[in-house]
Amino acid sequence: MKRREFLKRSALTAGAIVTPYFMGQTNRTLAQQAPSDRLRMGCIGVGSMGLGDAHGFNGMVDIVALCDVDKKYGLERSLKSGIGKKNERGEVITPDTYTDYRRVLDRDDIDVVTVITPDHWHTKIAIEALMAGKHVFCQKPLTLTLEENQLIRAACQKYNKTFQVGTQQRSQYNEFMTAALLVRKGHLGEIRNIVCDIGGSPTSQPIPKCAAPDSLDWNTWLGQAPYTDYLASNDASHSDNQGAPAFSRCHYEFRWWYEYSGGKFTDWGAHHIDCALWSLGLQSQGTGPVSFDGTNSKHPVPYKDGYPLVDNQYNTSHEFDIVCRFDNGSEMHVVSSSPDGNGILFEGTRGKIHVSRGRVKGKLIEEKVHETFTREDYEALYNGKPIEGHKENFIRCIREGGLPVSDVFSHVQAMNCCHLCGIAARLGRKIQWDPQNEKIVGDDMAAAFYSREQRKGFEIPR
């Protein structure tokens, strides 16, 4: 087909989007590789998301090791699900299992690891994996603090291995890639306002103390975070179909505790804030907003000086409108709810669009987009690589070199914004950010949130 036939010409009205006709076939090719050519993978963290990612890679690579600090929730479920390399007869060879991730990194026969642990473990394991010579696929959010952003970026610069962040929205070509091209190519004019609707964190009643399950190494799960009691409570109205407690400090629910994550600021924010900055081309070090106003934010428990006064309830913000201002006067609102719902609203001088998982909708001053996007336009967003699935892109970059579509260096810019939104919300005020020097300025209390004290024995390598 001719270049301009790759996409349909469409008016960007309610349900109409520009749709590319191309997609790679890497998954099929990877599955047909000779055993001697296949990468060998160790999966560190195989809970809910980790198990899903392991299945996504299963067949592209030989998964030879699984690791989790919960033998039941992680390892037993994973082994029952059929993950592992296949022999000549098509039979699955059971991967080796570990509860200590360092044993996975010690293996010279493992080329690549996934890091799908709770957020507060991401940076430490990922950096140690790079030091061990492994390629890394790490789920979002990449980091827990502003300091960790700099540490993991420096490690990637030093060790020069392929590192893909699991922000798969960058690989959704009908939605977020198309929206990025509409913004970058000026179809919306000058962008004056952005709204990232990321939803608010859930809340909880007081959660009782109880003994941690025998299958779980609770001390290791806590890692760098302060030691505290295990909390868990079951409620029929809020249940985890994978066997985890309905309300707890652990497993999926860790997201709603600032001790281990950043609530929705780093959960959905790692997707929508990332794609907003990516669409604007603000991906290089030194770019981004210059102030973050958290005045309009609420938390489900009382706070003092940015810290919760209650230790047995979810504590991340459940209602907020964080105003992120750029030096050109434009704004990005990070909100818990909006009329358009979950997604990103771009408002420009020539029109506006709203993008979410599933569609791009909106209206331009021009009824039709007269310039259609080519394969080359989309591949430019993919750092020059063919358009294909997020995991396939990662494997290709290991083989060929080059940056994957969601590289650490650009994603750190989004994580700076995510963490700064959380700091502004916790303090309930406006903070100033120097993006060139990556420092909070004029507010010593806010600047103290740049890093966290790490528990002895769980420090992140410098």
Side-chain angles (χ1 to χ4, degrees):
M1 293 186 292
K2 295 180 180 179
R3 288 177 62 179
R4 292 188 178 273
E5 293 174 346
F6 283 122
L7 304 175
K8 295 179 180 178
R9 296 177 180 268
S10 294
L12 281 182
T13 54
I17 63 171
V18 180
T19 308
Y21 285 109
F22 45 87
M23 191 65 177
Q25 297 296 320
T26 311
N27 196 11
R28 183 182 304 169
T29 303
L30 290 170
Q32 295 172 343
Q33 292 178 111
S36 58
D37 295 331
R38 293 165 67 85
L39 294 168
R40 294 165 66 87
M41 174 179 283
C43 298
I44 301 172
V46 285
S48 56
M49 192 69 199
L51 179 57
D53 278 335
H55 275 289
F57 279 113
N58 204 30
M60 297 186 202
V61 298
D62 286 339
I63 296 178
V64 298
L66 304 174
C67 179
D68 203 285
V69 295
D70 192 326
K71 296 177 182 177
K72 183 177 180 180
Y73 183 77
L75 295 178
E76 288 183 11
R77 289 190 311 115
S78 299
L79 290 174
K80 292 177 182 177
S81 69
I83 292 173
K85 63 180 291 187
K86 293 184 178 180
N87 60 23
E88 295 78 4
R89 297 185 299 277
E91 300 166 333
V92 175
I93 300 175
T94 303
D96 298 324
T97 58
Y98 304 90
T99 56
D100 186 338
Y101 73 92
R102 292 171 297 183
R103 304 290 77 80
V104 177
L105 302 186
D106 286 342
R107 287 181 52 167
D108 293 335
D109 64 327
I110 290 178
D111 309 294
V112 55
V113 296
T114 60
V115 182
I116 324 292
T117 63
D119 304 350
H120 64 296
W121 268 103
H122 285 175
T123 300
K124 178 176 174 59
I125 297 176
I127 289 177
E128 291 179 7
L130 294 171
M131 294 169 66
K134 316 300 185 189
H135 304 284
V136 179
F137 181 94
C138 183
Q139 260 303 335
K140 50 60 71 178
L142 182 61
T143 59
L144 184 68
T145 65
L146 294 167
E147 180 191 45
E148 289 187 14
N149 287 341
Q150 296 198 8
L151 292 175
I152 204 163
R153 181 174 61 202
C156 286
Q157 290 169 336
K158 179 174 182 178
Y159 295 103
N160 197 30
K161 307 300 289 187
T162 301
F163 195 124
Q164 175 88 297
V165 183
T167 47
Q168 77 280 0
Q169 282 187 178
R170 288 204 194 184
S171 295
Q172 291 184 269
Y173 55 91
N174 276 343
E175 298 88 21
F176 294 93
M177 293 181 75
T178 296
L181 289 175
L182 288 167
V183 173
R184 289 188 178 200
K185 289 183 172 292
H187 290 295
L188 304 182
E190 184 179 357
I191 302 299
R192 305 305 301 164
N193 185 58
I194 301 168
V195 178
C196 294
D197 184 337
I198 61 175
S201 296
T203 61
S204 73
Q205 296 297 313
I207 305 171
K209 299 177 184 178
C210 63
D214 293 338
S215 63
L216 171 66
D217 181 346
W218 175 236
N219 180 61
T220 299
W221 188 96
L222 286 169
Q224 64 167 290
Y227 189 88
T228 189
D229 293 309
Y230 181 82
L231 307 179
S233 174
N234 284 303
D235 184 330
S237 65
H238 181 138
S239 59
D240 183 334
N241 60 12
Q242 295 171 332
F247 295 91
S248 77
R249 272 190 176 271
C250 194
H251 294 321
Y252 187 88
E253 304 303 305
F254 72 82
R255 290 164 175 79
W256 322 128
W257 304 85
Y258 280 131
E259 293 91 324
Y260 322 116
S261 187
K264 285 297 180 76
F265 296 124
T266 56
D267 182 29
W268 273 94
H271 287 301
H272 290 342
I273 294 173
D274 174 66
C275 283
L277 297 180
W278 185 55
S279 299
L280 295 171
L282 299 178
Q283 304 162 265
S284 58
Q285 189 172 342
T287 62
V290 296
S291 70
F292 297 79
D293 192 343
T295 305
N296 188 14
S297 58
K298 298 178 181 178
H299 287 81
V301 297
Y303 267 71
K304 182 179 179 180
D305 298 335
Y307 289 93
L309 299 178
V310 173
D311 65 1
N312 63 349
Q313 292 178 244
Y314 294 164
N315 59 36
T316 55
S317 183
H318 65 293
E319 188 176 327
F320 49 83
D321 180 353
I322 311 296
V323 184
C324 314
R325 289 189 174 89
F326 298 86
D327 57 8
N328 66 354
S330 61
E331 294 182 348
M332 177 171 67
H333 289 251
V334 179
V335 303
S336 54
S337 64
S338 68
D340 294 292
N342 182 284
I344 311 169
L345 174 69
F346 293 97
E347 294 183 295
T349 55
R350 295 180 58 79
K352 63 181 181 178
I353 59 170
H354 184 267
V355 57
S356 64
R357 295 184 182 180
R359 54 104 181 103
V360 180
K361 68 176 183 179
K363 186 176 182 180
L364 304 181
I365 289 177
E366 305 170 44
E367 283 192 3
K368 293 186 177 181
V369 178
H370 296 295
E371 178 188 2
T372 56
F373 304 140
T374 66
R375 179 191 295 268
E376 288 81 1
D377 291 327
Y378 281 89
E379 288 181 350
L381 293 176
Y382 248 61
N383 293 317
K385 299 295 185 182
I387 309 304
E388 56 196 348
H390 204 67
K391 293 178 174 63
E392 289 90 343
N393 172 251
F394 172 55
I395 301 300
R396 180 185 292 276
C397 290
I398 293 175
R399 296 295 195 189
E400 300 178 357
L403 287 176
V405 65
S406 190
D407 64 283
V408 165
F409 308 108
S410 63
H411 187 68
V412 159
Q413 301 306 117
M415 290 313 302
N416 280 339
C417 286
C418 293
H419 295 319
L420 289 161
C421 284
I423 295 168
R426 292 175 70 160
L427 294 172
R429 61 175 180 256
K430 185 177 182 178
I431 59 175
Q432 303 292 329
W433 173 249
D434 176 357
Q436 290 290 330
N437 295 300
E438 297 184 320
K439 294 171 59 177
I440 295 173
V441 294
D443 189 331
D444 290 342
M445 185 180 291
F449 283 90
Y450 170 81
S451 61
R452 301 189 188 189
E453 182 178 354
Q454 292 153 17
R455 201 155 55 106
K456 186 176 181 180
F458 297 97
E459 299 90 348
I460 296 171
R462 266 36 181 190

